[in-house]
Amino acid sequence: MFEPVLLKNIDQPDSHLLSTYEAGGGYRALAKVLREFTPDDVVELVKQSNLRGRGGAGFPTGMKWSFVPKRADKPKYLCCNADEGEPGTFKDRIIMERDPHQLIEGLAVSAYAIGAKTAYVYVRGEYVTAIRRLEQAIAEAQAKGYLGTGILGTDFAFAVHIHCGAGAYICGEETAMLESLEGRRAQPRLKPPFPAVAGLYASPTVINNVETLACVPHIVVRGADWFRNIGPAKSPGPKLYCLSGQVRKPGLYELPMGIPLRELVEEHAGGALPGRRIKAVIPGGVSAPVIPERGLDVGMDFDSLAAVGSMLGSAGVVVIDDTTCMVKVATRIVEFFHHESCGKCTPCREGLNWAVKVMRRIEAGEGEPGDLEQLDGLCKGIFGNTFCALGDGAAMGLRAALAHFRDEFAAHIEEHRCPFH
Amino acid sequence: MGMREQIETAAARYPDRRSAIMPALLIAQKAHGHLPGPVLEEVADILGVERIWVYELATFYTLFHTEPVGRFHLQLCDNIACMLCGAERLLAHMETVLGIGKGGTTPDGLFTLSTVECLGACEMAPVMQVGDDYHGNLDAARLDALLGSLRAHAGRLATVDPASAPSPGE
């Protein structure tokens, strides 16, 4: 039986308060690193744990930290990406609302590791409750000496600030988020330079996701071996899975990395709604290519999902049943990417606009022969040719829908109507 | 705290005042309900930044409203999870009940109806944000009850003291 790690506090009354967090062993990791570890020791520990970023890309966290130059004449920054906008994802919101100190301790330990004195938590503006809870938690932590100057009697000084987003999915892209933090429109930057070298205010910057940072204190307290032994060794750890859509028990589940998608959906989340059958599942937010029901026996980890042409992404698991039209699903997803395209590069801005027009036409029963080939061509024109991963995500998702459910698309064109209406 | 003081407090968090434009716009919008040109110019003047920098953010980010919105902004998520759980029917229901289309505001200025992209609360789909609050697991009956309570709330405030009415969601 897997014991929850990241969610162990959340069902307690007042789980968001410092007293609850401390009673569960909170801030012991910060005390331990300040007493026993050099910053390099922390980086090495996180490298050994094989922790990979939970924001979607799965980049090794310790390696990301090690890219920060040891000596720099500029201040270093830690940024937390809490702009959770990937449709189907709500894990970071629940951590921030119900256990904000877990994030703050993760920030403090990580800042110590990379030598940052300031962190900005970029929270999406809609998350009003999360923002209030974080503000309260920062004030509590400051009053108790976990933040501020002379933390726990050492010379470590560290401040956390909240920056509210204002509704732009593209801010999940780390360099777009930095532009936004600097007071500009959120459009991604050309890389290199990578943020570790020149990020926020052209200073060395590390950007980590909420769930990634929340893992860090547990690694400090329980060790790299403990973490690496949960799930697949190359993609290990406790993992938050967001279950939503047409499923009996939607909600947030914490289980080991690598759990089979079928077990997650059918056993933990209770399977299909009464009288219905699962048709397909999106495993990692809408950027992740859809998997038809027959493909559900895949492990929920970065490598296993990549091997079947999809991705773990943000682990936003959206369940779709047999009453739902896949053309409608695919159209809605492409509409989303089109709406959120920042407009910087042509393949994404124009390609998605074009794709939406063709897809709406097909969905309305007004599709024409050649439309599917045109969509294939648009996917090809977008994928790999955009400035950032937003366009790739849109193209990969559409390509998978066209590949797995081509008969549904074709039926709309042949019958001049949606077969599901 | 007045708007200027709040903006100065926000600006102190950053080494560059340009970074404070977003927080300043959120503060200004809370104070004024929306962000007309003169408010944008005031924000630029308080921060001492170029006006175009303020305009470009106010028009890029969807949470900023340069046009007035109703007293209660009904923001229904119609992204994938909410769509799969019936958001379209809820939108049609609200359009009928309120007599306005998507993007419209009721003549009494009470409600503006919008659809929004994923609110990050898919476990309680379909979900709608009104002011600061999320309302989840919605169906037509719950929506009717919610709209009724918002109307009653506005009515109570109007009979007490319109000047002291808090902004939506407070």
Side-chain angles (χ1 to χ4, degrees):
Chain A
M1 183 68 187
F2 175 75
E3 285 284 325
V5 177
L6 302 169
L7 300 186
K8 74 173 158 53
N9 286 334
I10 69 159
D11 291 325
Q12 296 191 47
D14 294 327
S15 64
H16 60 288
L17 296 181
L18 178 59
S19 52
T20 313
Y21 188 66
E22 285 179 323
Y27 288 105
R28 258 187 241 161
L30 179 61
K32 187 175 176 181
V33 297
L34 294 182
R35 212 171 41 233
E36 300 170 19
F37 288 55
T38 66
D40 284 350
D41 291 340
V42 185
V43 175
E44 191 52 36
L45 177 77
V46 172
K47 270 189 184 171
Q48 292 298 323
S49 75
N50 285 355
L51 171 63
R52 292 169 68 175
R54 270 42 173 165
F59 194 82
T61 305
M63 195 191 295
K64 188 186 254 190
W65 291 0
S66 70
F67 294 152
V68 175
K70 291 259 184 303
R71 293 185 200 292
D73 46 8
K74 289 183 168 180
K76 297 168 189 171
Y77 291 105
L78 175 62
C79 294
C80 172
N81 191 339
D83 193 54
E84 186 168 62
E86 182 71 28
T89 314
F90 47 87
K91 62 191 178 67
D92 298 339
R93 189 193 96 242
I94 289 179
I95 293 178
M96 292 187 286
E97 286 183 355
R98 311 264 285 271
D99 200 356
H101 285 284
Q102 191 174 201
L103 171 60
I104 292 170
E105 187 176 16
L107 284 162
V109 172
S110 307
Y112 175 75
I114 63 162
K117 290 188 167 52
T118 309
Y120 292 100
V121 183
Y122 193 109
V123 192
R124 60 180 300 187
E126 294 91 336
Y127 281 3
V128 178
T129 305
I131 291 163
R132 284 187 189 143
R133 290 267 166 91
L134 272 176
E135 282 171 345
Q136 188 186 358
I138 290 168
E140 276 189 309
Q142 241 154 8
K144 202 71 189 281
Y146 296 125
L147 293 175
T149 53
I151 293 172
L152 298 176
T154 66
D155 60 0
F156 178 54
F158 176 56
V160 178
H161 301 295
I162 296 168
H163 186 94
C164 293
Y169 169 76
I170 190 67
C171 288
E173 202 282 341
E174 59 180 20
T175 62
M177 196 189 86
L178 296 177
E179 285 289 291
S180 185
L181 265 168
E182 290 184 12
R184 296 184 174 82
R185 291 185 296 162
Q187 292 189 318
R189 294 176 181 173
L190 191 63
K191 292 188 271 194
F194 288 92
V197 177
L200 187 63
Y201 308 119
S203 292
T205 304
V206 164
I207 300 129
N208 287 137
N209 168 262
V210 173
E211 185 188 352
T212 311
L213 291 164
C215 287
V216 171
H218 302 287
I219 294 169
V220 169
V221 171
R222 300 167 82 164
D225 289 342
W226 161 80
F227 192 87
R228 210 175 44 240
N229 285 326
I230 300 171
K234 288 186 175 172
S235 184
K239 181 76 194 89
L240 300 180
Y241 301 101
C242 315
L243 270 289
S244 72
Q246 293 162 323
V247 66
R248 280 183 203 234
K249 295 190 285 181
L252 186 63
Y253 293 83
E254 182 179 11
L255 290 158
M257 202 53 117
I259 187 174
L261 178 54
R262 187 179 297 283
E263 184 186 329
L264 184 60
V265 170
E266 292 185 353
E267 292 175 29
H268 295 281
L273 297 172
R276 301 194 194 176
R277 294 174 61 164
I278 291 169
K279 176 153 80 175
V281 176
I282 296 170
V286 297
S287 296
V290 65
I291 296 176
E293 198 278 339
R294 63 178 178 277
L296 296 188
D297 298 301
V298 59
M300 287 292 285
D301 61 84
F302 294 109
D303 303 319
S304 303
L305 280 161
V308 299
S310 188
M311 62 181 198
L312 180 63
S314 59
V317 180
V318 185
V319 180
I320 301 157
D321 72 26
D322 59 351
T323 65
T324 299
C325 169
M326 287 307 291
V327 175
K328 184 174 171 174
V329 168
T331 303
R332 185 64 193 85
I333 292 171
V334 176
E335 283 174 346
F336 165 73
F337 283 113
H338 171 238
H339 180 259
E340 297 299 331
S341 175
C342 77
K344 181 162 181 153
C345 72
T346 311
C348 177
R349 183 188 65 237
E350 303 300 328
L352 293 176
N353 184 41
W354 195 352
V356 163
K357 282 183 184 164
V358 175
M359 293 177 79
R360 282 184 181 154
R361 184 163 82 203
I362 295 172
E363 198 195 348
E366 292 158 9
E368 295 158 13
D371 275 354
L372 298 187
E373 291 72 21
Q374 188 164 50
L375 289 176
D376 293 335
L378 283 166
C379 288
K380 207 173 155 193
I382 295 167
F383 186 80
N385 296 319
T386 57
F387 202 85
C388 78
L390 187 146
D392 287 342
M396 285 192 304
L398 176 55
R399 203 162 57 185
L402 284 165
H404 295 305
F405 299 98
R406 205 166 185 90
D407 52 339
E408 285 192 27
F409 283 84
H412 281 71
I413 296 174
E414 282 157 20
E415 299 173 26
H416 301 290
R417 66 184 188 95
C418 173
F420 288 84
H421 282 162
Chain B
M1 224 177 0
M3 189 171 107
R4 179 180 287 271
E5 281 173 285
Q6 286 183 59
I7 290 174
E8 287 299 342
T9 304
R13 297 197 295 260
Y14 308 94
D16 181 348
R17 288 175 77 82
R18 186 170 185 171
S19 286
I21 299 174
M22 273 175 84
L25 287 174
L26 288 170
I27 291 163
Q29 185 160 277
K30 198 105 185 161
H32 293 272
H34 73 292
L35 297 168
V39 173
L40 297 180
E41 286 164 19
E42 192 186 348
V43 165
D45 293 343
I46 291 171
L47 288 172
V49 298
E50 299 292 335
R51 288 180 175 180
I52 184 67
W53 295 355
V54 177
Y55 274 94
E56 67 172 355
L57 297 203
T59 53
F60 182 87
Y61 295 97
T62 56
L63 295 192
F64 298 135
H65 305 295
T66 51
E67 298 295 325
V69 290
R71 171 93 168 71
F72 299 110
H73 191 184
L74 309 171
Q75 301 175 88
L76 179 73
C77 174
D78 69 346
N79 207 301
I80 183 78
C82 288
M83 183 190 94
L84 292 170
C85 297
E88 272 179 318
R89 284 194 307 275
L90 295 183
L91 177 64
H93 180 76
M94 282 197 289
E95 286 176 335
T96 308
V97 169
L98 298 172
I100 52 173
K102 194 165 92 172
T105 299
T106 53
D108 59 5
L110 213 50
F111 297 110
T112 295
L113 178 60
S114 302
T115 54
V116 292
E117 297 297 1
C118 185
L119 288 168
C122 319
E123 82 279 22
M124 47 171 151
V127 62
M128 180 164 81
Q129 184 167 23
V130 186
D132 290 348
D133 300 320
Y134 279 24
H135 302 271
N137 300 311
L138 289 171
D139 56 23
R142 288 197 178 118
L143 259 185
D144 290 343
L146 173 62
L147 295 177
S149 75
L150 293 172
R151 275 204 182 92
H153 181 67
R156 267 200 310 280
L157 293 173
T159 53
V160 179
D161 176 11
S164 69
S167 61
E170 285 187 355

